[in-house]
Amino acid sequence: MFRIFSGLVFVSVVITCFISLILEQYNTGEHLRRSLHSPNERKKRAYSLGNAPPYPGADDDNLLWFVQISDIHISRFYDKSRISDLEKFCTETIDAINPAIVLVTGDLTDAKTENKMGSLQYEVEWQAYNNILKRSRVLEKTKWIDIRGNHDTFNIFSLDSVSNYYRKYSVHQKEGSFHYIHQTHFGNYSFICVDATLKPGLKQPYNFFGILNKTQMQELSDLATKSFSSNLSVWFGHYTTSTIVSPSPGIREVMSSAVAYLCGHLHTFRGLMPVLHSRHSQGTLELELGDWMDNRRYRILAFDHDLFSFADLNFEEWPAVLITNPKSALYSNPVVEPLGKIQNSTHIR
Ligand SMILES: *[C@@H]1O[C@H](CO)[C@@H](O)[C@H](O)[C@H]1NC(C)=O
Ligand SMILES: *[C@@H]1O[C@H](CO)[C@@H](O)[C@H](O)[C@H]1NC(C)=O
Ligand SMILES: *[C@@H]1O[C@H](CO)[C@@H](O)[C@H](O)[C@H]1NC(C)=O
Ligand SMILES: *[C@@H]1O[C@H](CO)[C@@H](O)[C@H](O)[C@H]1NC(C)=O
Ligand SMILES: [Zn+2]
């Protein structure tokens, strides 16, 4: 009896340690306040205060907005409304919001067997995803960027495998990290994808963590350097940085010039962590987005005069409101945003 009991205690201690490791950084407020008030941070802030015109005013110029969704998990066995709701999202919601870009941060399909214990790539799930894109004609309305999550790589032992349906049915179709530069007449904006999925893709549950090797880190570092000439950079990927294993100096350091890193993967941690927002010690915000699968979450993000803002919303809850000026102080990044423009702005936007 005692042995069983101490065994249980041991298992729960291990599980608790594991969860706190993954969630280690998600204690938003305190950490942020500390970092904003450290002398180092104040110094950097003084250097980077942008106070040159134009300022946020009455017209809608110098404003770029985009959308993120994550962890759709289209399944041949469960909850068919994931599919019909996504089609509605691609028509009604996207038409109403009219974003320049939509980032889909992985786990497009569920790829689990009916008893949820095994994993397998099902072509019908990928066809369902592809049909939504076709029927809604969403690709004609916006730039759609869909990347792979761990579920999209289950049981793919080689990228050339016929069951690598991502190559056939997604929009982006290519594996690996990449850099997309969105050009506007008021500036250039960098979107850098971190692909940490495993090659070969293992069965579930063996790919909960992503891995980046030295070569891949160097590639990302080169992309970061190229993005320095953009007004702002956003990085995005499927895994949270706490679930990516990477060689020194680590993935957070490599993305430190980004205003934010957007990801998914943890869903809402079974409802335990409905909001997973944090800040790296380098200043970059890490914004995990809850899943489409069970919670129908999506996010609107904006650069307004190079001030970054976002709102996490639920599908079909209207009105969808994002205040871009004055932006939230809690989510300010004085190193890369011209926060001085808020003082000279004339309108709440
Ligand atoms: C954006 O990038 C293009 C191509 O590199 C460059 O010609 C243009 O001047 C840039 N625009 C701004 C506003 O920096
Ligand atoms: C790193 O990973 C990439 C992509 O999987 C692979 O092509 C490359 O050979 C790996 N490099 C090293 C040094 O392991
Ligand atoms: C983007 O950067 C360019 C070059 O530094 C600058 O002229 C432009 O005003 C910036 N755009 C915005 C919206 O601040
Ligand atoms: C911007 O605000 C500063 C003080 O906050 C002021 O000195 C400056 O004249 C303002 N510039 C413009 C163009 O309004
Ligand atoms: Zn997922």
Side-chain angles (χ1 to χ4, degrees), residues 143-301:
K143 167 96 187 165
W144 187 273
I145 301 177
D146 50 4
I147 63 168
R148 298 179 310 153
N150 52 322
H151 284 244
D152 305 315
T153 62
F154 278 154
N155 303 63
I156 294 180
F157 299 106
S158 147
L159 291 173
D160 299 321
S161 151
V162 285
S163 60
N164 187 7
Y165 297 121
Y166 175 79
R167 282 200 173 168
K168 188 167 174 193
Y169 295 109
S170 75
V171 176
H172 186 67
Q173 299 190 341
K174 291 181 286 290
E175 298 83 17
S177 300
F178 63 93
H179 183 186
Y180 166 66
I181 302 174
H182 192 84
Q183 297 193 5
T184 66
H185 72 92
F186 51 85
N188 292 336
Y189 298 87
S190 280
F191 295 84
I192 295 180
C193 164
V194 179
D195 184 356
T197 53
L198 305 186
K199 301 158 208 78
L202 303 175
K203 286 191 294 200
Q204 86 134 342
Y206 303 110
N207 67 7
F208 185 74
F209 287 89
I211 299 179
L212 293 170
N213 66 24
K214 277 218 164 95
T215 322
Q216 291 167 306
M217 287 287 275
Q218 188 56 50
E219 279 168 19
L220 285 167
S221 174
D222 294 344
L223 296 182
T225 308
K226 291 203 184 95
S227 72
F228 290 164
S229 57
S230 291
N231 291 56
L232 285 175
S233 306
V234 152
W235 286 45
F236 64 102
H238 177 66
Y239 294 95
T240 62
T241 58
S242 60
T243 52
I244 294 177
V245 181
S246 59
S248 171
I251 184 63
R252 292 182 197 165
E253 190 58 39
V254 171
M255 64 169 68
S256 60
S257 58
V259 65
Y261 174 62
L262 315 175
C263 56
H265 187 47
L266 297 181
H267 297 211
T268 56
F269 225 80
R270 302 199 178 279
L272 293 176
M273 300 290 287
V275 179
L276 291 167
H277 298 160
S278 71
R279 179 186 295 275
H280 301 166
S281 58
Q282 292 87 347
T284 306
L285 294 166
E286 177 156 336
L287 308 173
E288 202 264 0
L289 174 63
D291 54 287
W292 179 266
M293 174 181 174
D294 291 327
N295 294 294
R296 300 292 190 274
R297 291 279 164 79
Y298 72 101
R299 172 180 285 157
I300 306 182
L301 310 98

